[in-house]
Amino acid sequence: MNIGQKILEILKEEITEIEYNRYIKQLTYDSKKSNEDSAIYYAPNTLVSNWIKNKYTRKIEHLFEVNTNHKVSVTIALKNSMDRRKIKTKEVKKQVNHSLLNPSHSFNNFMVGGSNQFAYAAVKSVSENAGKVYNPLFIYGGVGLGKTHLMQSAGNVFQDEGKVVIYTTVEQFTNDFTRSIRNNSMERFREKYRQCDVLLVDDIQFLSNKEGIQEEFFHTFEALKGDNKQIIFTADKHPKKIAGLEERLQSRFEWGLVADIQPPELETKIAIIKNKCEINKVVLTNDIINYIATVIESNVREIEGILSKLHAYSQLMHVDIDLDFTKNVLKDQIAESRAELTLDMITKFVSKDLNIKPSEIRSKGRSKNLVYSRRIAIYLCRELTQNTMPQLAQYFGMKDHTAISHTLKKINELLENDEDFKVKIEELTNKITSV
């Protein structure tokens, strides 16, 4: 299989089957006239040609760049006209950089909530004023919270404006540096990283304890900053908390603006799931969406995996996606993610939120507040851990498992009829699983 066909096979996995069969499948790759800088496809008619040009040319170029490490210009031409006229291949500017930006990352499809609003506003401002405000911009936060999405959104804006953008990771920067020393090509390496308009670097924490790399990175930073070129970094922690980082680098990372992204609150998770459902053409009821938002942890990247899993199970088993089906499909994944939660942890969390002592929750007190708090704690312990009802009865000082069963029955009635109680359960579940 030639590289042109391979790229279409990769694209097949990222689009709908209907679009692939109706349009992409009809493309023919010209391996003889294509080269490392140019890829030529033939379309059977104007309709197919124009549709692909408008919707997927940039995506195909991105897939070529990712899979070949070359910036490739894609031409979609009419099959019948190719014999009558010569193709004028676009001249690709000989640049040593390969930005590897994902074209699907944009500000329009980034879900903004209280947990990421500040970082979003900062990156958006930078995208409108390259090199003039917040330079460098340093974004930090946990895995899967959207740091790379935000940074690349700005990168795509800059690239659309014709700027030379380099997106890289510390690992790739290190590999390029090592290769350049080995091949005696440091001049080319420095030209690549110091003559761009915008430098985007992921995973800055991996500079830790790399003295030689930190030295080169420092001089790269100085050169770009001196020319007012925009720099954006991401990391999993604040610059001050990155161990093994030179003091001069740490201070420079804080020169512009440091913005953090926190785990999303329940409302933002729900909005993200609805957005992903729309993009991936997955239909879920509000109950299922709320359930997924409640049980997933802080890593938002899990959402797409969960939706893909549900869709695949539904298609292969020929069943509709309902709440029971969702719970069954995700039970192992949820059990694994919650393996470290203990009864004490959950009870302490509930007691802190409701301003009741843990010992009171586990007591036999019958005041209205205690009964309310105890019910919530029992329900969450049952849902978020693998403990049996006898184990819960022993922990909460109840007679036996039938007392737990009776309590759970009462709780389920409240969940159906008391909206405030349901909201409180969802809120606490979200907070506990996001810790």
Side-chain angles (χ1 to χ4, degrees):
M1 184 185 295
N2 59 48
I3 183 61
Q5 190 58 42
K6 179 183 176 183
I7 294 300
L8 297 187
E9 288 296 315
I10 296 172
L11 180 61
K12 181 180 180 180
E13 301 300 318
E14 300 184 17
I15 64 177
T16 65
E17 186 177 355
I18 292 175
E19 287 186 341
Y20 177 80
N21 289 330
R22 187 176 294 171
Y23 300 102
I24 304 299
K25 191 177 182 180
Q26 298 191 58
L27 289 179
T28 304
Y29 180 67
D30 190 334
S31 57
K32 292 182 180 179
K33 293 183 179 179
S34 300
N35 54 51
E36 67 176 18
D37 294 325
S38 174
I40 300 169
Y41 288 95
Y42 301 155
N45 55 56
T46 304
L47 176 66
V48 172
S49 174
N50 289 341
W51 189 89
I52 295 174
K53 282 179 183 177
N54 293 332
K55 190 164 184 180
Y56 279 111
T57 297
R58 191 176 173 195
K59 178 66 175 175
I60 295 171
E61 288 177 341
H62 170 71
L63 291 175
F64 265 102
E65 191 170 356
V66 170
N67 287 275
T68 67
N69 205 30
H70 281 283
K71 204 171 185 67
V72 177
S73 172
V74 171
T75 299
I76 309 294
L78 289 178
K79 187 174 183 178
N80 294 334
S81 67
M82 298 312 295
D83 295 330
R84 297 194 299 268
R85 61 182 176 178
K86 210 173 176 183
I87 302 174
K88 288 190 177 180
T89 306
K90 293 179 186 175
E91 282 192 14
V92 179
K93 190 178 178 181
K94 292 294 181 181
Q95 297 172 345
V96 290
N97 71 291
H98 302 286
S99 66
L100 299 180
L101 292 173
N102 186 335
S104 67
H105 285 161
S106 72
F107 292 114
N108 290 335
N109 58 24
F110 183 85
M111 301 307 297
V112 183
S115 59
N116 57 32
Q117 192 170 21
F118 178 66
Y120 172 84
V123 180
K124 195 78 165 59
S125 178
V126 164
S127 73
E128 296 164 357
N129 302 276
K132 298 176 182 176
V133 297
Y134 313 137
N135 196 21
L137 176 59
F138 193 103
I139 311 165
Y140 74 95
V143 175
L145 299 184
K147 301 186 299 297
T148 299
H149 186 142
L150 262 185
M151 179 168 67
Q152 290 204 11
S153 296
N156 281 317
V157 171
F158 294 137
Q159 194 161 263
D160 288 344
E161 294 172 349
K163 291 182 172 63
V164 178
V165 179
I166 289 184
Y167 164 74
T168 189
T169 64
V170 166
E171 180 183 13
Q172 183 60 50
F173 183 90
T174 301
N175 291 340
D176 283 356
F177 177 73
T178 304
R179 191 183 305 114
S180 297
I181 291 178
R182 187 170 60 245
N183 298 335
N184 195 27
S185 58
M186 281 302 296
E187 184 176 342
R188 186 178 177 186
F189 171 87
R190 286 168 181 151
E191 180 183 354
K192 170 181 176 178
Y193 285 102
R194 299 184 190 184
Q195 293 187 10
C196 62
D197 298 313
V198 180
L199 178 62
L200 314 174
V201 187
D202 247 334
D203 299 325
I204 284 294
Q205 70 272 10
F206 292 123
L207 278 175
S208 178
N209 297 316
K210 292 184 171 73
E211 293 182 8
I213 301 300
Q214 288 190 36
E215 177 75 22
E216 185 62 34
F217 199 86
F218 171 79
H219 292 298
T220 297
F221 178 95
E222 291 287 279
L224 290 171
K225 188 71 170 66
D227 288 338
N228 294 318
K229 301 300 177 64
Q230 184 63 54
I231 307 166
I232 305 178
F233 300 132
T234 74
D236 63 356
K237 54 178 70 73
H238 192 283
K240 278 186 168 61
K241 295 186 178 180
I242 300 177
L245 190 65
E246 289 182 7
E247 188 176 339
R248 60 179 180 173
L249 272 179
Q250 178 188 304
S251 68
R252 279 160 176 77
F253 290 163
E254 297 179 74
W255 270 1
L257 179 69
V258 177
D260 70 321
I261 298 181
Q262 295 294 326
E265 61 283 353
L266 184 62
E267 292 77 9
T268 304
K269 283 186 185 180
I270 291 172
I272 290 170
I273 294 170
K274 287 181 177 178
N275 178 255
K276 297 295 184 184
C277 283
E278 186 176 340
I279 292 172
N280 294 290
K281 297 178 172 56
V282 178
V283 179
L284 300 178
T285 64
N286 286 334
D287 279 349
I288 296 173
I289 291 172
N290 290 342
Y291 174 74
I292 295 172
T294 300
V295 300
I296 62 171
E297 296 187 11
S298 58
N299 188 342
V300 180
R301 203 173 291 158
E302 286 183 80
I303 292 174
E304 285 191 342
I306 286 174
L307 295 181
S308 296
K309 190 174 183 178
L310 286 174
H311 183 67
Y313 268 73
S314 174
Q315 294 294 309
L316 294 172
M317 298 172 70
H318 306 290
V319 295
D320 293 330
I321 303 174
D322 59 20
L323 186 56
D324 288 337
F325 175 79
T326 301
K327 288 181 178 180
N328 188 55
V329 170
L330 302 182
K331 63 182 179 182
D332 291 338
Q333 185 172 343
I334 293 168
E336 182 180 347
S337 67
R338 294 174 174 177
E340 295 181 3
L341 283 175
T342 66
L343 300 179
D344 279 339
M345 288 168 61
I346 294 170
T347 303
K348 286 178 181 176
F349 207 104
V350 172
S351 70
K352 183 178 180 181
D353 188 86
L354 300 177
N355 198 26
I356 301 269
K357 293 180 180 178
S359 58
E360 291 179 315
I361 290 179
R362 297 175 63 185
S363 72
K364 299 187 187 301
R366 301 302 302 169
S367 70
K368 187 176 180 179
N369 284 344
L370 281 180
V371 170
Y372 176 80
S373 303
R374 189 177 302 118
R375 282 174 176 166
I376 289 177
I378 289 173
Y379 179 81
L380 293 176
C381 285
R382 176 64 172 169
E383 289 292 307
L384 303 181
T385 72
Q386 302 299 307
N387 287 274
T388 63
M389 284 198 284
Q391 288 171 323
L392 292 178
Q394 182 179 5
Y395 181 79
F396 286 99
M398 294 183 168
K399 186 176 180 181
D400 54 31
H401 72 279
T402 57
I404 292 291
S405 179
H406 175 75
T407 300
L408 292 173
K409 183 179 178 181
K410 180 62 180 176
I411 292 169
N412 286 324
E413 290 175 2
L414 287 170
L415 288 172
E416 288 182 10
N417 303 311
D418 188 335
E419 190 62 29
D420 290 339
F421 185 79
K422 183 178 179 180
V423 169
K424 174 53 72 174
I425 288 287
E426 290 176 349
E427 177 189 332
L428 280 168
T429 301
N430 185 58
K431 287 180 179 179
I432 292 169
T433 55
S434 296
V435 172

